[in-house]
Amino acid sequence: MSALVLALFWLLALLALVRGVPALIVLFFCAVPFGSLAAVPPALTGGLTFTPLPIVAALLSLRILLAPGQAANLLSGVLHARPQALLFTFLLVCIVSTLLMPRLFAGQILVVPVRAIEGPMAPLAPSTQNISQLAYLAISVMTTLTASVGLRSARVRAVVPRAILAGCLVTVGTGLLDYASNFVPLDAILDAFRTATYALLVDAEVLGARRVVGLMPEASAFGSTCVVLLALLYFARRAFPASDPMRLLSLPACGGLAVFAIMSSSSAAYVGLGVFLASVGLEWIWRVMRFDPDTMNAIRVEALIGLLALAAIAALFLLQPALIDRIAFILDDLLVSKTTSSSFEERNMWTRTAWEAFVSSWGLGIGVGSSRASNFWVALASNTGLLGVVLYGGFVLACYVRRRPKRDGQAAALLTAGRWALLPGFAIGILIGTSPDFGSLTGMTMGVMLAAGRSRYETSPAVIESDRSDHSTEQSEISIA
């Protein structure tokens, strides 16, 4: 069964590679929820696990760079004072620190290894995890950089909303499959997708109920994935053309993702949901302040849907008052009492040790994959040093200050969606981020933001015309999936 799953994945990957960039973008989002599947047999990689998402991301980057003129566009971006230059420099810093620092500080600094062999802590030393984690990070960086040039074409960007929706529907489907395994014998099917070599926590329970994990390694990973995709689809749904019937599936898909995020019983996912709801409220306020008649009409419809949802929840509580006590008990167990659990103390120890490694290295970092943490920014600082934090933080800021295009409504919608959709993921990363790899999905989102928006220096007619000519070189190789 596992061999059949692998054969099917590679068949889809090769077909998408032949069809072009839009097909690969669809496959990219559909590959997101398969975090427990080893896309390459671990026996061929020395025990390392490469999941479908980074494999598809690498193929997408390759396909974009093979298009006429795109390699030159990317080179121009990383050699000039543009956001791409910040991210490319960040990658160079990661490579140098990973090659040098584990050897320079070997045996002098205690770390929590990414894969502990002889206990929770060990002296710093070079390991295969340096290579594997750097490879993942490099793929995430290249996904961002290539998407920033490969998605400048309006025809290519047009597939992004549908691709996000497809990925969300597949994620909901994996959740349904895992949940159905409680009642139907589906272990043989699920095991075919759970071939990763790292620990898989797929049978954990909370208050006697099994946590839904989908086809991810653990419930927190599945719940976090649901929240990130929920935010991305909710805010990107306005990028659908008004005539596209697929947009009608956006809100039901959002509802399904929210349900499975809750059923994952992940405290990080619950915090992410809270940040998502706060982002929705802030975005409503932002849109109201613009006083645009079309925007106000859309807000009225959304407010009506929200009120109906609240009325349905209130009716449910009136019919089942015991639900209030059960929900309060669950929230207390997952959010309040969590701070006294052994897992919380262990994750705090990871973060504390990673921060001490950053200080002990005089802010230079100890190399990507040398130590784990439970906070993305602490992992970033300890692995890449202060310079890596500044470069990556500057790049994220540069993505947020991109200007909305005035004559491309879909591009403007995608840029705005990226700004809001990244916030829940950032919050989750502060809670459970173990490495400096920001992930291919976040990389794709920031790449879309760069492709859809413009910097303050890209306003001259010459630059705009140059972009148009770049787009025309892509048209011959595009077939909308």
Side-chain angles (χ1 to χ4, degrees):
M1 181 69 80
S2 298
L4 179 62
V5 171
L6 281 183
L8 179 60
F9 164 71
W10 282 105
L11 176 62
L12 291 174
L14 292 176
L15 287 175
L17 184 63
V18 171
R19 290 198 62 185
V21 172
L24 281 168
I25 293 174
V26 174
L27 185 60
F28 174 90
F29 284 99
C30 290
V32 170
F34 295 93
S36 62
L37 173 65
V40 180
L44 301 178
T45 61
L48 300 178
T49 295
F50 289 94
T51 57
L53 182 58
I55 297 294
V56 177
L59 293 176
L60 174 61
S61 297
L62 177 63
R63 191 66 172 86
I64 290 174
L65 291 177
L66 289 176
Q70 294 294 26
N73 290 338
L74 180 59
L75 185 61
S76 175
V78 300
L79 293 180
H80 293 82
R82 296 181 181 177
Q84 291 93 329
L86 288 172
L87 189 61
F88 184 71
T89 306
F90 167 74
L91 177 60
L92 294 180
V93 169
C94 292
I95 293 173
V96 172
S97 67
T98 304
L99 293 177
L100 296 181
M101 299 309 170
R103 293 164 177 81
L104 180 63
F105 295 109
Q108 303 177 37
I109 298 175
L110 284 177
V111 299
V112 177
V114 174
R115 284 196 177 184
I117 299 177
E118 298 180 354
M121 297 182 65
L124 176 64
S127 70
T128 57
Q129 297 306 309
N130 294 120
I131 304 303
S132 62
Q133 295 300 312
L134 180 62
Y136 274 120
L137 178 59
I139 290 174
S140 299
V141 170
M142 290 307 300
T143 300
T144 309
L145 294 176
T146 53
S148 70
V149 297
L151 275 71
R152 287 182 182 176
S153 166
R155 287 186 62 188
V156 177
R157 279 198 311 272
V159 79
V160 172
R162 280 196 166 200
I164 295 172
L165 175 60
C168 293
L169 293 175
V170 171
T171 303
V172 171
T174 63
L176 285 171
L177 189 65
D178 182 54
Y179 180 71
S181 67
N182 294 321
F183 314 100
V184 181
L186 298 175
D187 291 344
I189 297 176
L190 295 175
D191 289 344
F193 290 91
R194 292 170 175 167
T195 56
T197 57
Y198 38 72
L200 301 178
L201 305 176
V202 298
D203 294 316
E205 295 184 356
V206 172
L207 302 178
R210 181 175 168 274
R211 302 171 70 181
V212 177
V213 300
L215 294 177
M216 297 297 285
E218 57 182 351
S220 62
F222 178 68
S224 300
T225 298
C226 288
V227 173
V228 170
L229 288 174
L230 165 63
L232 193 56
L233 178 60
Y234 177 84
F235 290 111
R237 75 191 192 284
R238 299 187 193 97
F240 278 95
S243 58
D244 191 343
M246 296 298 292
R247 66 182 301 178
L248 298 177
L249 295 176
S250 297
L251 290 180
C254 286
L257 290 170
V259 168
F260 280 116
I262 294 172
M263 293 178 68
S264 71
S265 300
S266 165
S267 55
Y270 287 3
V271 171
L273 281 173
V275 174
F276 165 70
L277 293 175
S279 300
V280 171
L282 290 173
E283 195 249 0
W284 275 8
I285 294 173
W286 178 265
R287 289 161 64 199
V288 168
M289 292 173 61
R290 293 171 58 190
F291 297 107
D292 179 24
D294 293 335
T295 299
M296 294 303 297
N297 290 334
I299 288 177
R300 291 189 186 98
V301 174
E302 293 169 10
L304 178 60
I305 294 174
L307 289 175
L308 291 175
L310 289 176
I313 294 173
L316 180 63
F317 285 151
L318 288 175
L319 294 174
Q320 297 288 337
L323 280 176
I324 298 177
D325 294 334
R326 179 169 177 79
I327 291 173
F329 184 76
I330 292 174
L331 291 177
D332 176 78
D333 183 68
L334 293 177
L335 299 179
V336 180
S337 301
K338 183 77 171 180
T339 57
T340 62
S341 67
S342 58
S343 63
F344 181 81
E345 293 177 357
E346 182 184 38
R347 287 183 173 273
N348 269 350
M349 184 270 289
W350 296 353
T351 302
R352 183 176 62 256
T353 304
W355 179 254
E356 291 171 353
F358 168 74
V359 174
S360 299
S361 68
W362 300 298
L364 297 175
I366 56 176
V368 176
S370 292
S371 177
R372 70 165 62 191
S374 188
N375 181 305
F376 170 80
W377 290 99
V378 174
L380 182 67
S382 67
N383 284 210
T384 68
L386 181 61
L387 182 57
V389 173
V390 171
L391 289 170
Y392 179 73
F395 171 73
V396 173
L397 180 62
C399 291
Y400 268 85
V401 299
R402 298 287 282 183
R403 301 175 67 181
R404 288 163 53 95
K406 296 181 179 179
R407 289 174 289 183
D408 189 338
Q410 187 178 67
L414 287 174
L415 176 60
T416 301
R419 288 171 175 167
W420 293 104
L422 286 175
L423 298 180
F426 287 158
I428 291 172
I430 292 175
L431 296 175
I432 61 172
T434 59
S435 79
D437 176 22
F438 50 85
S440 299
L441 182 56
T442 298
M444 172 63 77
T445 304
M446 293 190 292
V448 171
M449 293 170 68
L450 291 177
R454 294 191 179 278
S455 74
R456 297 183 182 276
Y457 307 103
E458 295 176 335
T459 55
S460 67
V463 172
I464 295 174
E465 188 62 31
S466 174
D467 281 348
R468 288 175 179 170
S469 65
D470 289 340
H471 299 166
S472 65
T473 62
E474 299 175 8
Q475 303 303 322
S476 61
E477 62 95 20
I478 293 173
S479 58
I480 299 297

